[in-house]
Amino acid sequence: NPRRVTSLPITSGPRWSPDGRSLAFAALAPGLVRPDIWIVDANGGTPRQLTRDPSYDTILSWAADGKSLYAMTDRTGMWEVWNIPSDGGPATPVTEGGGLRAQESRDGAFLYYANDVPQVWRRSLRVRSPDQLITTFPTGTHWGGDWVVGLDGLYYLDQQRPGTVGIDFLPFGGTSPRPVRAFLLTAQAARNVRAFAIAPDESWLVWSQDDYRNTDIMMIAHRP
């Protein structure tokens, strides 16, 4: 029994607020060609446009306290992560030199963000300290990698091992943590910006994959 929540031209990347009451997403306003960030009540209603900038605003996540959002935008001429108050107000830059996505830890102590190297970094939100490199993905990894921050480590999509596609888990801490294979997919991951998600208690994992692709050559009679 699906229920329609929005009626905007094109929407993408919906994200639940931490309290479950709202949905944030990227969408085109009528007549525009670049998306902005919007928020709508989870039960439906009129969406509220959060950003009104000629830039491209997309790929977002909520801060742990629900008071702001992280979004990828090209308003400086290159892709960076910006922070936007969820009640409205000026957006502020988070990354410099390239940023593609960001996610806070559930306790709000750290911010994890990816650049286009592609790498994932961790920044303390409570103590002033240098940012820490968490992992580096192979060159060509799409949009800074497909990853989710868990309670004790980083889950990420690994498509680099020959003949396998899986979701690996990289534990935090230790002198030289190594990733472990958490799950092996039975087909190639779907070609989305985000192909998998982890349940809040990390007891379930959901993903999308391309089970079947087919093309046909068709012929019809041509009479000039």
Side-chain angles (χ1 to χ4, degrees):
N1 299 308
R3 176 169 47 86
R4 187 169 185 171
V5 178
T6 66
S7 299
L8 292 163
I10 298 178
T11 62
S12 65
R15 299 287 181 266
W16 288 97
S17 62
D19 62 9
R21 298 178 180 178
S22 304
L23 292 167
F25 57 94
L28 294 177
L32 297 183
V33 296
R34 290 191 168 195
D36 284 296
I37 304 302
W38 300 66
I39 295 179
V40 67
D41 189 279
N43 293 318
T46 302
R48 174 168 54 91
Q49 189 171 352
L50 194 61
T51 62
R52 297 178 182 273
D53 193 276
S55 63
Y56 196 106
D57 297 339
T58 186
I59 303 183
L60 53 89
S61 66
W62 288 83
D65 60 8
K67 295 181 179 180
S68 64
L69 297 139
Y70 297 95
M72 185 182 82
T73 177
D74 63 351
R75 61 184 66 191
T76 62
M78 66 184 300
W79 294 114
E80 299 284 6
V81 173
W82 286 56
N83 183 262
I84 307 166
S86 56
D87 289 335
T92 56
V94 174
T95 61
E96 295 181 2
L100 297 174
R101 62 177 65 201
Q103 181 184 345
E104 281 192 15
S105 58
R106 296 179 195 175
D107 60 3
F110 296 98
L111 174 70
Y112 295 81
Y113 64 91
N115 56 28
D116 57 1
V117 172
Q119 298 165 328
V120 177
W121 290 76
R122 180 169 69 181
R123 175 181 301 173
S124 175
L125 297 177
R126 297 177 180 174
V127 179
R128 294 184 65 87
S129 60
D131 292 0
Q132 177 186 2
L133 176 63
I134 299 299
T135 190
T136 300
F137 295 123
T139 301
T141 300
H142 183 65
W143 286 116
D146 194 347
W147 49 272
V148 176
V149 177
L151 291 173
D152 302 308
L154 189 77
Y155 296 88
Y156 64 93
L157 186 69
D158 179 8
Q159 301 188 73
Q160 303 304 317
R161 302 184 194 182
T164 66
V165 179
I167 295 170
D168 289 358
F169 176 75
L170 179 66
F172 297 142
T175 55
S176 57
R178 296 184 177 181
V180 296
R181 177 55 50 92
F183 191 81
L184 180 65
L185 277 64
T186 57
Q188 290 293 317
R191 299 172 186 175
N192 301 326
V193 171
R194 181 168 290 176
F196 79 98
I198 306 291
D201 62 1
E202 299 184 32
S203 61
W204 288 89
L205 181 151
V206 295
W207 76 96
S208 56
Q209 65 182 35
D210 287 337
D211 289 325
Y212 178 77
R213 280 179 177 265
N214 188 42
T215 58
D216 295 299
I217 296 176
M218 310 296 292
M219 183 172 65
I220 60 173
H222 174 62
R223 294 185 177 85

